[in-house]
Amino acid sequence: MTAGTGPAGAAALRALHHGRQPDDPLVLPTVWDAAAARVFADAGFPALATPSAGIAASLGYADGETPADEMFAAIARIVRAVDVPVTADVEAGFGLSAKELVDRLAEAGAVGCNLEDSDHASGALRDPRRQAEWLAEVRAVAGDALVVNARVDTFLRGDTGTAAAVERARLYTEAGADCIYPILAPPALLPELSAAIALPLNAMARSDGPSPRELGALGAARITFGGGLQRQATATLALVAKRLRDGN
């Protein structure tokens, strides 16, 4: 067991979300394999996240199509490679029961997870009350040993207002989530969302958008990157391949 796993790892990760200054959000690099994890851990980041899209790409799958066994095996390799807490994107839970999901995360060594509230295949949003019940089951099984980041997919699925996102966030907060992730929420709406949501707010930094520090100033307490870092690394590797092909 590495230093970032188990209840102590969960407690350390949870503590990192609180008491932060607006210009100092928790930045969680999203790492897709053990080598990338070591790079960011060695750079001094106190915790890491995994992206479902980045891991899928590294394994040769489209986002949302990675078999559960391969996803958990990839998460476990990342956890073994570092001594900092790791939170894992496990999509909508792969159809596992709450106990099965919590057990698989614990077996892999992850001390946190993203759980999204829409379906990859259909694109449909889940009923928010049923999603809240599911989150409450996960919390009941995990106790304090798992940091639950409840993803709200209303903006991803085309709702441009804040009302639906805030209502889902309220239900997920009552269910025991630790933080709320309104993925793809426009940065201009972060102050309104932060004021209306009681839990730490997760925002995704994009290469064409505000910096992590700027997102923090807008109200985000936690910054992740989706599959963006893996795509940047792949783009850099493509340039290396081109130079080699051209004999440079």
Side-chain angles (χ1 to χ4, degrees):
M1 180 178 292
T2 69
T5 59
L13 177 61
R14 186 174 287 109
L16 287 170
H17 290 76
H18 298 281
R20 309 201 69 89
Q21 296 300 312
D23 63 348
D24 182 34
L26 172 61
V27 177
L28 294 174
T30 41
V31 298
W32 56 96
D33 63 16
R38 287 196 184 107
V39 167
F40 286 102
D42 288 347
F45 287 92
L48 303 172
T50 73
S52 66
I55 287 180
S58 74
L59 297 175
Y61 294 104
D63 188 20
E65 296 183 2
T66 308
D69 286 349
E70 294 195 44
M71 182 66 78
F72 285 109
I75 294 166
R77 289 191 292 271
I78 288 167
V79 170
R80 285 197 301 269
V82 296
D83 287 325
V84 299
V86 175
T87 178
D89 183 346
V90 288
E91 301 178 358
F94 299 108
L96 300 171
S97 70
K99 185 178 187 312
E100 289 170 331
L101 177 63
V102 171
D103 287 349
R104 293 294 298 269
L105 285 164
E107 182 181 1
V111 295
C113 68
N114 282 7
L115 287 171
E116 59 197 54
D117 66 353
S118 67
D119 180 73
H120 269 281
S122 68
L125 285 162
R126 293 185 168 190
D127 178 84
R129 294 192 179 277
R130 289 186 180 178
Q131 180 71 1
E133 291 172 359
W134 157 247
L135 292 172
E137 290 178 17
V138 172
R139 171 58 65 216
V141 173
D144 291 335
L146 191 68
V147 177
V148 177
N149 188 31
R151 207 178 87 173
V152 174
D153 287 2
T154 54
F155 295 101
L156 176 66
R157 302 305 178 188
D159 188 333
T160 59
T162 62
V166 168
E167 175 59 15
R168 285 174 179 263
R170 182 186 66 79
L171 291 170
Y172 303 164
T173 299
E174 293 173 354
D178 293 283
C179 43
I180 301 294
Y181 183 14
I183 188 170
L184 298 187
L189 294 182
L190 291 178
E192 181 180 346
L193 290 167
S194 177
I197 294 171
L199 295 177
L201 199 67
N202 188 149
M204 184 170 72
R206 306 173 73 177
S207 60
D208 59 350
S211 69
R213 188 177 294 273
E214 290 169 333
L215 291 171
L218 290 170
R222 163 175 162 153
I223 309 298
T224 52
F225 301 84
L229 299 181
Q230 188 272 338
R231 289 192 293 272
Q232 289 181 45
T234 299
T236 299
L237 192 60
L239 294 176
V240 173
K242 183 178 185 301
R243 288 198 298 269
L244 289 175
R245 184 199 63 194
D246 295 342
N248 296 324

